[in-house]
Amino acid sequence: MTFSIAARDERTGQLGVASASHAYGVGIADHARAGCGAVATQAFVEVSYGPRGLDLLGMGIAPREALAALLSADPDREIRQVALVGASGEIAHHTGARCVPSCGAVVAGTSIAIGNMLDGERVLHAVSDAFNEGEGDLADRLLAGLRAGEGAGGDVRGRMSAALRVVSAEPGANLWEGDLRVDFDADPLEALGTHLRMSRAYDVFFRSVFAPGLVTGTEPVTGEALETALAGLRATQKVLGEDMEPTVWQGVLLLRAGEERRGCELIVRAIDARPGFARFVDGLARAGLVPLTSEQILERNAR
């Protein structure tokens, strides 16, 4: 008993699906595979429709034929609801005759909103309109669709969980594979928005720290590469707020580059906020990833 939006982004080719529900752990309903397709499976859910549907799409079978194959093998198909979006944006969907109303689907271009046990028919139109008129990337628009659906009444029972998944247009690519899930929350869409913001921040964080050679290389990173990494870490720090780990890593990169004063200052700032970072820095020093221990950093910063 869920409402979902599944779509292909016509500009980037990315594929995605997002769902919200009063049911616990709606993330089991969302499935997507890079360069292959997206599947939302719900109502009295048959989870295997997701991976099996993607396998069929990956074999080059059109969404309509893939859906027919799933339904033909399921004696309980009349209590199922499912939508498939292929890599080219072709859509197929099914709402069983025994799905709980209000239920149905709204197709617009390369997107489909589906749902059951909703507060009314307006819910799916709100989801579809918000997605197709929204701004931002595919994840932003999927989340906008869910928010609009909730604003129009959403799941008649209330709210509990939400999920969002976006994958690349390129088969086998790792654009942002892995889903964002809120399994139980008083305001799951607000929490999902927070997860999306944090996921993006940490994507910048990981690229700023773990790009080849930045920290693990034997030679220090300097010049434009260093400034790019530092800028990414500063941006991450703004999102994380009181969590000062990005500031520690700024200091580490600066120390490795020979900029001792700036590096020590930043690491001391982080240690003052959370003393446990001293042990973290000492661990990095033992691993040979930073040239000074926390005690040496504190001493040199005090000079």
Side-chain angles (χ1 to χ4, degrees):
M1 289 64 174
T2 298
F3 61 98
S4 301
I5 174 82
R8 176 184 184 272
D9 187 294
E10 296 188 71
R11 182 176 60 85
T12 65
Q14 293 171 329
L15 298 155
V17 56
S19 300
S21 179
H22 184 262
Y24 174 80
V26 73
I28 63 170
D30 291 354
H31 304 265
R33 188 177 299 165
C36 178
V39 180
T41 174
Q42 52 199 51
F44 291 91
V45 64
E46 174 51 64
V47 176
S48 70
Y49 274 20
R52 288 166 55 209
L54 291 173
D55 286 344
L56 292 169
L57 294 176
M59 294 166 57
I61 298 172
R64 189 165 299 180
E65 286 70 35
L67 177 60
L70 294 175
L71 297 176
S72 66
D74 184 1
D76 293 320
R77 54 187 170 271
E78 295 307 327
I79 61 172
R80 313 293 190 205
Q81 187 174 47
V82 59
L84 291 80
V85 179
S88 64
E90 183 182 350
I91 290 171
H93 63 95
H94 164 79
T95 298
R98 294 173 59 206
C99 287
V100 180
S102 176
C103 59
V106 174
V107 177
T110 57
S111 71
I112 176 169
I114 61 170
N116 63 96
M117 198 175 278
L118 304 177
D119 196 43
E121 293 182 3
R122 64 189 179 280
V123 173
L124 295 180
H125 289 282
V127 172
S128 180
D129 290 346
F131 172 81
N132 285 289
E133 296 169 7
E135 298 181 350
D137 63 15
L138 182 57
D140 289 324
R141 295 164 62 208
L142 290 170
L143 183 55
L146 294 184
R147 285 174 168 155
E150 183 177 275
D155 185 328
V156 73
R157 301 166 300 168
R159 56 190 184 179
M160 183 181 293
S161 65
L164 184 152
R165 184 172 174 83
V166 171
V167 296
S168 172
E170 299 300 322
N174 188 27
L175 165 74
W176 177 50
E177 286 200 288
D179 53 358
L180 297 181
R181 291 180 54 160
V182 177
D183 287 340
F184 182 87
D185 196 274
D187 192 345
L189 293 183
E190 181 64 25
L192 189 64
T194 298
H195 285 332
L196 178 58
R197 186 169 67 255
M198 296 298 289
S199 174
R200 287 171 168 164
Y202 270 100
D203 180 60
V204 174
F205 174 83
F206 289 129
R207 284 188 282 109
S208 299
V209 173
F210 299 114
L214 278 176
V215 173
T216 58
T218 57
E219 298 298 322
V221 174
T222 59
E224 184 177 346
L226 174 62
E227 293 306 318
T228 298
L230 292 174
L233 289 167
R234 286 193 294 271
T236 305
Q237 186 63 75
K238 288 182 180 179
V239 176
L240 298 191
E242 295 180 358
D243 186 338
M244 299 287 284
E245 184 176 356
T247 295
V248 175
W249 285 107
Q250 289 179 66
V252 168
L253 290 174
L254 287 165
L255 287 177
R256 287 173 54 85
E259 297 193 35
E260 186 175 292
R261 183 186 62 79
R262 290 174 65 198
C264 289
E265 180 182 330
L266 289 170
I267 291 175
V268 169
R269 188 186 306 168
I271 291 173
D272 286 344
R274 182 182 298 173
F277 280 131
R279 294 178 59 194
F280 174 53
V281 170
D282 289 339
L284 295 176
R286 285 194 298 272
L289 298 177
V290 64
L292 300 174
T293 66
S294 63
E295 183 176 353
Q296 292 170 324
I297 289 170
L298 290 166
E299 288 176 353
R300 297 188 187 196
N301 187 68
R303 293 175 183 172

